[in-house]
Amino acid sequence: MVGDKAREEMNAFQRNESKETLFTFISAGDDPPKGDFPVQKKSPKLCGSNYPLSIAFIVVNEFCERFSYYGMRAVLTLYFINFFHWDENLSTSVYHAFSALCYFTPVIGAIMADSWLGKYKTIIYLSIVYVVGHLIKSVGAIPSLGNQVVHVVLSMVGLFLIALGTGGIKPCVSAFGGDQFEEEHTSERSKFFSVFYLSINAGSLISTFVTPVLRGDVKCFGEDCYPLAFGVPAALMVLALVVFIAGSGLYRKTPPEGNVLLEVCKCIGFAIKNRLKNRSRQIPKRDHWLDWASEKYSKKLIGEVKMVTRVLFLFIPLPMFWALFDQQGSRWTLQATKMNADFGIYVLQPDQMQFLNPLLILVFIPIFDLGLYPLINMCKFNFTPIRKMATGMILAGMAFGLAAIVEVKINETDMPQLVPKESLIQVLNLAKNPVQVTIQDQHLFQQPTEAFQNPAEYSKLILNGEQQSLHFTLQHQGLSLGFNYTVKEKSVYSLIVFEAEGSLSSRLITDLEAKPENGLAAVRFINGLSQDVNLTVDSKRFIAIQKNYSVSEYMLLERDKYDDGRCITEAGEFTLDLGLLDFGASYTVVITNMSRGALQIWKSEDIKANNVHMAWQLPQYLLISAGEVMFSITGLAFSYSQSPASMKSVLQAGWLLTVAFGNAFVLIIAQAAPMAQWAEFVLFTVLLFAVCIIFSIMGYFYVSVDPEDLQEKEEKRETPSRGNMISLITQKTKL
């Protein structure tokens, strides 16, 4: 259980630090300089306050950088699917591989800053790498530049450089901002971190709303404008670098003082190596396996490493939470593409739904800190940090349970799954009277099909092989006509019946096998006139269709009302009013006749439109955002309260790696175990609930400590002296 002092420290930490600011390595170089270090100049103040003028440049830099990162990442999954034409599993895998890399590279940035360049130069150099990555990524999205291979190579190189840049500067920027304050201005420094956090969420919120608009609502090169959607974040990153350099003369720059993370790794490695070398029973045992590092490292360092390893052990189950959380930009975005996005006054892009997370975080933090947590305390319930984190896991699992339910409802409007030796067929009766259709060896269409009757659904054909020639019989006004058509398995057909030259005729045409992707609408035309026609649908697309029931190819269009199309015939030019072409629907439009100077059409909805509204994703976003507040902020606050100040960088490294491993786990599941999307959501729900139970058991046996008290006890303990270690036996063992 957490003591009163530790709880107060944790609550103070929660008020001043959150989400992204927590991911800043506070290493030995971030503590007040001790000894004979160069005296740092005092920065000019903002409007006579105790706030250094230099922090204005840092806050603006952070806003621009976060805008560039989250804006670029918001459209990344749809970029892979629409531009590269990758499938959903591959797109998800690459997205999470990139996200994982972004959380592995902070370790590199921390080592560079603390052991070599210092924070200022590290930010400058890696920001340049970051800008180059953005520019390469933007150029790689220009359709006319090279072939598919060129686009993929440029995009992957750009993403690698972006991951190196954003991850590398992550542990440096907020710590560098903290360095700008004198030690006596602790309250101002705390408020700075609040403003810094606000700039992060403001950049994330605005960019995740704006860049999908630049992608979907702006058209360039005849399609979604990915060069603009990536170019604007690139411009913001250039601005971030320029702003940061502009404040160069105002910064207080502390020199690199060594990286404690490397020291911890060396200490652990030496302890393991020394223990393996001295396995003889004649050598006295030691209380803790890290005590085997005492020949080389100080008691103080070993004691601090012991404290850190206790907390890092609790981190082992945590990647599963991040495996679910980071799927907002992949699986949840793909789910949104199959939903109805019309909110009346505004039509959302599917990747815009991600803006709900930063918005809800900004709303939930004050509600939880000032409302929920005090209310729980008033109820005399000991809501410990471990319990908060476990609750956050449960909320995230519930969010994915809801996502699975939504996915099941979405699938109800999907086409039936095609299997071998089966096909689907419907009848479109374009004649003036009812027609009875009979198919050889099939028991379908028991009732006559009325003229221009909308088919309720497709009927299933059972075949005797990969393809089969079937005899179709049409009965019309006492006459019976026969036609033979070859039907292939796992295909979808429409049998169009029409009158030609005073007799009944038919044609078997191929339909779409699945719903149009990304919320687009598909439409094709059948020309029932006795003359050729030329159609213009959206002032850009021109279709020529021959006479006598010829059929056009499918055209994919954005969801909209198309009431100003044009149809040009030998008799003149007519208005073509298609009405609403809805999300995910497929239509067959038949031009039937011309009367009184107007064009008559009939529209059939072959595949039903998306009927699950995107608003049904709101509950899952509410749950996972609430889970993030309880899990992420509480988790780092608790782990910080359980470790000495000099070890905070190690804990941040461990925390960031849990995010990286969580994303890597999603990559593995997407590639190794592809399954129905609803089943995958259920799998992640079950896995997180199981991990939550394990974490709760680990937390139950965890004993909270005050790092200062534990350190004092550690220093009083008797450990063998260096002199006694001389008699240790070093043995070489043959494998």
Side-chain angles (χ1 to χ4, degrees):
M1 299 302 169
V2 182
D4 291 338
K5 179 180 178 182
R7 189 179 294 110
E8 290 172 2
E9 292 176 355
M10 179 187 65
N11 291 335
F13 182 82
Q14 282 178 290
R15 288 192 297 269
N16 298 325
E17 304 276 350
S18 188
K19 202 172 181 179
E20 199 81 26
T21 56
L22 300 182
F23 299 158
T24 303
F25 285 90
I26 305 175
S27 62
D30 300 321
D31 294 328
K34 300 175 183 179
D36 298 329
F37 291 106
V39 178
Q40 297 292 334
K41 64 181 180 181
K42 291 187 177 182
S43 175
K45 306 299 181 183
L46 279 170
C47 303
S49 66
N50 290 324
Y51 293 94
L53 180 60
S54 56
I55 66 170
F57 294 89
I58 295 173
V59 169
V60 173
N61 164 269
E62 185 66 13
F63 169 83
C64 296
E65 188 274 327
R66 291 292 85 187
F67 186 109
S68 74
Y69 173 73
Y70 284 112
M72 179 276 305
R73 199 178 73 161
V75 300
L76 198 55
T77 300
L78 295 187
Y79 173 69
F80 293 149
I81 288 179
N82 299 336
F83 194 81
F84 291 161
H85 304 292
W86 290 349
D87 61 38
E88 292 187 359
N89 286 333
L90 179 57
S91 300
T92 298
S93 299
V94 176
Y95 175 89
H96 287 282
F98 167 71
S99 297
L101 187 60
C102 289
Y103 285 95
F104 278 120
T105 51
V107 177
I108 300 173
I111 294 173
M112 289 176 61
D114 290 337
S115 302
W116 179 26
L117 297 174
K119 287 186 281 292
Y120 173 75
K121 289 184 178 179
T122 299
I123 294 171
I124 293 291
Y125 294 158
L126 290 183
S127 291
I128 294 173
V129 173
Y130 200 164
V131 167
V132 172
H134 266 302
L135 294 176
I136 293 175
K137 185 76 184 70
S138 302
V139 171
I142 299 175
S144 59
L145 185 68
N147 55 21
Q148 177 85 346
V149 175
V150 173
H151 294 146
V152 171
V153 170
L154 288 176
S155 295
M156 294 304 105
V157 171
L159 287 176
F160 176 79
L161 296 178
I162 290 171
L164 182 60
T166 188
I169 67 175
K170 192 185 295 289
C172 303
V173 179
S174 64
F176 186 68
D179 289 345
Q180 306 308 305
F181 292 86
E182 283 92 23
E183 291 309 311
E184 62 269 19
H185 299 148
T186 54
S187 63
E188 286 82 359
R189 181 188 283 125
S190 297
K191 291 178 182 177
F192 159 74
F193 282 118
S194 296
V195 175
F196 189 85
Y197 168 67
L198 179 63
S199 70
I200 291 169
N201 281 275
S204 172
L205 176 63
I206 296 172
S207 65
T208 50
F209 190 86
V210 171
T211 52
V213 174
L214 300 177
R215 173 196 64 78
D217 292 350
V218 179
K219 301 299 178 183
C220 58
F221 302 101
E223 54 189 40
D224 285 355
C225 198
Y226 287 102
L228 180 63
F230 290 135
V232 170
L236 264 291
M237 190 56 220
V238 173
L239 180 60
L241 178 59
V242 170
V243 169
F244 187 77
I245 294 175
S248 176
L250 303 174
Y251 299 138
R252 300 174 75 241
K253 305 167 187 175
T254 57
E257 299 174 350
N259 187 273
V260 69
L261 178 61
L262 290 177
E263 287 299 308
V264 170
C265 294
K266 291 178 181 178
C267 178
I268 293 174
F270 182 82
I272 295 173
K273 181 180 178 180
N274 199 26
R275 179 67 186 91
L276 293 176
K277 285 183 177 180
N278 296 278
R279 290 174 293 178
S280 173
R281 295 182 179 179
Q282 300 176 357
I283 301 175
K285 294 183 178 180
R286 303 184 185 180
D287 294 338
H288 194 281
W289 62 273
L290 280 169
D291 290 334
W292 289 94
S294 57
E295 287 87 355
K296 186 174 181 180
Y297 296 94
S298 66
K299 297 178 182 178
K300 179 177 182 297
L301 178 63
I302 293 174
E304 290 176 344
V305 174
K306 289 179 182 178
M307 290 182 248
V308 168
T309 53
R310 295 175 71 250
V311 180
L312 290 178
F313 180 71
L314 282 177
F315 282 4
I316 294 176
L318 304 190
M320 187 55 64
F321 175 87
W322 299 114
L324 276 69
F325 180 82
D326 276 344
Q327 290 187 58
Q328 294 175 72
S330 57
R331 294 302 197 191
W332 284 15
T333 296
L334 294 175
Q335 183 184 71
T337 64
K338 299 177 285 185
M339 304 177 77
N340 187 337
D342 187 2
F343 285 82
I345 59 174
Y346 188 76
V347 177
L348 278 181
Q349 296 291 338
D351 36 2
Q352 272 183 302
M353 286 296 287
Q354 298 174 63
F355 92 96
L356 285 175
N357 178 249
L359 176 64
L360 291 171
I361 291 299
L362 290 175
V363 173
F364 281 155
I365 286 179
I367 291 177
F368 280 43
D369 283 347
L370 304 177
L372 180 62
Y373 294 154
L375 182 62
I376 293 175
N377 291 334
M378 289 173 59
C379 296
K380 306 299 182 182
F381 179 74
N382 188 16
F383 202 30
T384 63
I386 296 293
R387 289 174 178 172
K388 288 180 183 177
M389 294 177 69
T391 303
M393 290 182 175
I394 293 172
L395 291 175
M398 291 172 60
F400 265 65
L402 290 180
I405 295 173
V406 170
E407 191 71 23
V408 170
K409 297 298 292 183
I410 290 173
N411 291 342
E412 291 178 358
T413 62
D414 278 352
M415 291 287 288
Q417 188 70 32
L418 296 171
V419 297
K421 296 185 178 182
E422 286 186 3
S423 290
L424 299 175
I425 190 170
Q426 67 175 359
V427 175
L428 300 179
N429 181 10
L430 309 183
K432 297 178 181 179
N433 297 295
V435 174
Q436 177 67 54
V437 178
T438 306
I439 306 177
Q440 169 192 342
D441 301 329
Q442 310 289 328
H443 301 286
L444 306 176
F445 312 119
Q446 302 300 319
Q447 299 296 325
T449 303
E450 298 293 330
F452 295 97
Q453 174 184 324
N454 278 304
E457 59 184 12
Y458 282 91
S459 300
K460 185 181 297 184
L461 286 172
I462 307 300
L463 309 179
N464 58 16
E466 293 183 0
Q467 65 180 28
Q468 182 179 353
S469 178
L470 296 176
H471 183 74
F472 291 72
T473 302
L474 308 181
Q475 294 179 342
H476 175 254
Q477 295 182 328
L479 298 177
S480 180
L481 300 172
F483 302 89
N484 292 318
Y485 294 109
T486 299
V487 177
K488 297 181 179 179
E489 66 176 359
K490 302 173 69 173
S491 300
V492 182
Y493 297 97
S494 285
L495 178 70
I496 58 172
V497 180
F498 54 92
E499 296 180 10
E501 299 179 354
S503 180
L504 203 64
S505 184
S506 68
R507 182 174 295 163
L508 191 67
I509 58 177
T510 304
D511 296 357
L512 290 181
E513 298 175 2
K515 292 176 74 70
E517 296 180 346
N518 306 317
L520 297 175
V523 61
R524 66 180 173 185
F525 297 90
I526 298 177
N527 180 12
L529 304 179
S530 58
Q531 51 189 297
D532 297 345
V533 299
N534 291 289
L535 303 180
T536 303
V537 177
D538 59 353
S539 74
K540 298 178 182 177
R541 315 244 184 145
F542 303 92
I543 308 172
I545 312 175
Q546 294 181 350
K547 59 186 178 181
N548 297 332
Y549 296 94
S550 295
V551 184
S552 72
E553 298 292 333
Y554 278 102
M555 175 189 298
L556 294 178
L557 299 169
E558 299 282 346
R559 185 260 191 189
D560 204 348
K561 287 185 177 180
Y562 293 88
D563 53 7
D564 58 350
R566 310 303 295 173
C567 177
I568 302 175
T569 69
E570 295 175 359
E573 183 174 335
F574 303 88
T575 300
L576 179 64
D577 185 359
L578 300 179
L580 177 65
L581 303 183
D582 214 348
F583 295 106
S586 173
Y587 300 93
T588 296
V589 176
V590 182
I591 303 173
T592 57
N593 57 63
M594 296 175 293
S595 63
R596 298 179 182 178
L599 192 70
Q600 304 297 318
I601 66 170
W602 175 70
K603 183 171 69 172
S604 169
E605 189 178 51
D606 303 331
I607 299 178
K608 303 303 179 184
N610 301 344
N611 61 2
V612 180
H613 200 275
M614 202 180 287
W616 285 107
Q617 279 197 324
L618 181 59
Q620 62 201 57
Y621 273 97
L622 285 167
L623 286 174
I624 205 161
S625 298
E628 181 193 6
V629 173
M630 286 192 166
F631 178 87
S632 180
I633 298 174
T634 304
L636 268 171
F638 171 71
S639 60
Y640 269 42
S641 71
Q642 298 296 292
S643 67
S646 61
M647 292 288 120
K648 286 179 170 52
S649 64
V650 181
L651 284 177
Q652 289 206 12
W655 185 268
L656 290 170
L657 290 177
T658 64
V659 183
F661 285 119
N663 279 276
F665 185 75
V666 180
L667 187 158
I668 293 171
I669 291 294
Q671 287 297 309
M675 60 189 75
Q677 190 54 66
W678 68 267
E680 186 179 282
F681 285 150
V682 172
L683 173 64
F684 278 108
T685 300
V686 172
L687 288 175
L688 186 58
F689 283 157
V691 165
C692 180
I693 294 172
I694 296 171
F695 176 74
S696 299
I697 295 172
M698 294 169 63
Y700 178 80
F701 290 102
Y702 180 85
V703 179
S704 298
V705 297
D706 186 327
E708 295 181 1
D709 294 342
L710 191 62
Q711 191 169 338
E712 289 178 3
K713 290 181 181 180
E714 189 69 25
E715 290 176 352
K716 291 178 181 179
R717 287 178 59 248
E718 289 289 333
T719 55
S721 65
R722 291 179 181 265
N724 293 335
M725 297 303 151
I726 298 176
S727 60
L728 292 177
I729 302 172
T730 302
Q731 297 179 337
K732 293 184 178 179
T733 305
K734 293 184 178 179
L735 295 178

